[in-house]
Amino acid sequence: ITGRIAKQLYPQAHITVDGFERVNFADNRFDLAVGNVPFGNYQIADARYDKQHFFIHDYFFGKTLDKVRPGGIVAFITSKGTLDKPNTAVREYLAERADLLGAVRLPNNAFKSAGTEVTSDIIFLQKRAAPSEQMPDWVDVSQTADGVPVNKYFEQHPDMVLGTVVEGNKLYGSGTMVVAEDGFDLKSALHEAVGKLSAEISHEHGR
């Protein structure tokens, strides 16, 4: 329904309503890809990526990086597991193909109006023209002073975590979540955080 509405609102745009695994855009075509990717512990059948055994959210990252041009940007909302899960294989795959411009960890009530309370990240990647020769810090998971596992990026950039890190409970499962106080102005905090990324992009990549 939202796709059909978009077609009516933007008749000049090319809008496809289909599963990503069935969309055959050319590689190295797009300047920017933005999305709120689905996430779950299941795989999508796509012969090109089957050998990677990607879960669905990882599949969206892998395929999209092939579709943007070198220097192109991928900005995706995903679960915190993309950056925090102990297995580094997917992050290594991404780091070979893209530089992490930065990430913003959202509080668990960011999508409460959509009926879900989960800690999510917005991840900004810039596609590389050539594979990375060494793995960057963000491939690995470290620990906070309290012994909480967290991606090294957030260990080094705690200001990009928009809320307070607390231990999970029976409702949210094991691990940690990020919560915000009542009245927390997420819009302003997010605007400020993304502003820091823009400065880094301008400084490091001349954009």
Side-chain angles (χ1 to χ4, degrees), residues 16 18-23 25 33-40 42-46 49 52-68 73-79 82 85 90 93-94 97 123 125:
T16 299
D18 205 347
F20 196 27
E21 71 278 12
R22 293 188 294 270
V23 176
F25 293 123
V34 179
N36 183 357
V37 303
F39 44 87
Y42 57 94
Q43 299 177 19
I44 295 296
D46 186 325
Y49 302 94
Q52 304 297 335
H53 303 292
F54 284 145
F55 286 140
I56 186 169
H57 42 289
D58 303 324
Y59 168 75
F60 268 71
F61 275 94
K63 181 170 180 175
T64 303
L65 276 177
D66 285 333
K67 301 309 169 188
V68 299
I73 305 294
V74 174
F76 277 174
I77 300 173
T78 183
S79 77
T82 298
K85 58 187 170 186
V90 170
Y93 180 95
L94 298 177
R97 295 160 175 78
I123 300 177
L125 298 172

Side-chain angles (χ1 to χ4, degrees), residues 128-173:
R128 298 179 58 87
S132 176
E133 295 182 0
Q134 61 183 18
M135 289 292 100
D137 285 348
W138 66 271
V139 166
D140 296 317
V141 173
S142 184
Q143 288 188 341
T144 66
D146 298 326
V148 177
V150 68
N151 187 277
K152 282 192 173 182
Y153 174 81
F154 289 121
E155 178 190 38
Q156 297 166 3
H157 300 85
D159 55 318
M160 302 303 277
V161 178
L162 306 186
T164 303
V165 179
V166 300
E167 290 291 341
N169 54 31
K170 292 181 180 179
L171 177 62
Y172 297 104

